[in-house]
Amino acid sequence: MEKLRIEASSCSPLIDFDPAAGLLRIDGESYPENSFDFYAPVFSWLEEYLKDPAPAVVLDIGLSYLNTSSIKCMIDVLEMLDGAHQKGRTVSVRWHYDSDNDRALDMAEEFAEDVSLPFEILAH
């Protein structure tokens, strides 16, 4: 399976998914004009990848800002990974946030509450 890489822009995050390493990275700010269009290739890639993922999969997130529609898309990504976790796959999340941003911590904690997979929240 091919890597998925979408370069960051002023309003959309870097998407860097490496299937062999099992590392799925999303980094930056997420407020594209149409979040659902932006994340559509992410959903398609992830759906295909989760049919036969690496032995361990880590979603590494460093999002400093998400608009409302991006939050919905992130919930969908987390639910896809949580479903794989519930089927016995080794899946975890590492959410990085700026320690000066309490709202970012609150958002990460809310996401963590919605899934059963291991979810690490890391300040930087």
Side-chain angles (χ1 to χ4, degrees):
M1 181 165 197
E2 296 288 320
K3 285 184 176 186
L4 174 63
R5 186 170 176 94
I6 302 170
E7 294 298 329
S9 74
S10 60
C11 61
S12 62
L14 167 72
I15 305 291
D16 189 12
F17 288 4
D18 182 344
L23 183 60
L24 316 177
R25 199 168 123 231
I26 304 175
D27 194 48
E29 295 187 346
S30 185
Y31 55 97
E33 189 167 319
N34 188 325
S35 296
F36 301 104
D37 285 348
F38 176 79
Y39 282 97
V42 173
F43 298 139
S44 298
W45 188 95
L46 200 51
E47 184 176 6
E48 189 62 32
Y49 176 66
L50 289 174
K51 292 177 183 174
D52 187 27
V57 178
V58 176
L59 176 61
D60 197 62
I61 300 174
L63 291 169
S64 56
Y65 176 79
L66 293 92
N67 65 4
T68 303
S69 58
S70 291
I71 289 171
K72 171 62 176 128
C73 291
M74 192 54 49
I75 290 169
D76 292 347
V77 167
L78 290 169
E79 286 178 349
M80 291 174 79
L81 292 171
D82 198 41
H85 171 73
Q86 290 174 7
K87 291 177 182 171
R89 303 283 191 193
T90 302
V91 182
S92 62
V93 175
R94 290 188 307 228
W95 192 290
H96 305 267
Y97 76 98
D98 182 342
S99 59
D100 293 332
N101 186 343
D102 291 339
R103 294 188 73 206
L105 173 59
D106 292 343
M107 182 173 50
E109 289 173 339
E110 287 177 25
F111 281 125
E113 289 173 3
D114 291 338
V115 294
S116 63
L117 53 84
F119 200 110
E120 201 175 357
I121 301 173
L122 306 164
H124 62 84

